[in-house]
mmCIF file of all heavy atoms in Angstrom:
data_model
loop_
_atom_site.group_PDB
_atom_site.id
_atom_site.type_symbol
_atom_site.label_atom_id
_atom_site.label_comp_id
_atom_site.label_asym_id
_atom_site.label_seq_id
_atom_site.Cartn_x
_atom_site.Cartn_y
_atom_site.Cartn_z
ATOM 1 N N ALA D 115 108.442 69.400 115.217
ATOM 2 C CA ALA D 115 109.247 68.569 116.221
ATOM 3 C C ALA D 115 110.524 69.380 116.372
ATOM 4 O O ALA D 115 110.964 69.479 117.506
ATOM 5 C CB ALA D 115 109.435 67.214 115.761
ATOM 6 N N GLY D 145 98.058 58.759 107.752
ATOM 7 C CA GLY D 145 99.229 58.014 108.119
ATOM 8 C C GLY D 145 100.431 58.858 108.496
ATOM 9 O O GLY D 145 101.211 58.453 109.407
ATOM 10 N N ASP D 153 90.060 72.400 102.350
ATOM 11 C CA ASP D 153 90.603 73.185 101.367
ATOM 12 C C ASP D 153 90.598 74.678 101.780
ATOM 13 O O ASP D 153 90.594 75.600 100.919
ATOM 14 C CB ASP D 153 89.909 73.091 99.956
ATOM 15 C CG ASP D 153 90.406 71.879 99.146
ATOM 16 O OD1 ASP D 153 91.332 71.357 99.601
ATOM 17 O OD2 ASP D 153 89.894 71.516 98.108
ATOM 18 N N ASP D 307 91.911 81.470 113.471
ATOM 19 C CA ASP D 307 92.181 81.608 112.026
ATOM 20 C C ASP D 307 93.313 82.530 111.924
ATOM 21 O O ASP D 307 93.379 83.413 111.036
ATOM 22 C CB ASP D 307 90.904 82.191 111.325
ATOM 23 C CG ASP D 307 91.046 82.231 109.870
ATOM 24 O OD1 ASP D 307 92.003 81.620 109.270
ATOM 25 O OD2 ASP D 307 90.128 82.832 109.179
ATOM 26 N N THR D 402 96.872 92.981 112.901
ATOM 27 C CA THR D 402 95.789 92.782 113.918
ATOM 28 C C THR D 402 94.867 94.021 113.993
ATOM 29 O O THR D 402 95.330 95.150 113.989
ATOM 30 C CB THR D 402 96.393 92.494 115.424
ATOM 31 O OG1 THR D 402 95.325 92.483 116.256
ATOM 32 C CG2 THR D 402 97.344 93.484 115.725
ATOM 33 N N PRO D 429 112.486 87.536 121.985
ATOM 34 C CA PRO D 429 112.676 88.944 122.092
ATOM 35 C C PRO D 429 112.041 89.657 123.104
ATOM 36 O O PRO D 429 112.483 90.613 123.588
ATOM 37 C CB PRO D 429 112.128 89.379 120.646
ATOM 38 C CG PRO D 429 111.215 88.306 120.181
ATOM 39 C CD PRO D 429 111.744 87.026 120.751
#
Side-chain angles (χ1 to χ4, degrees):
Chain D
D153 275 353
D307 192 9
T402 171

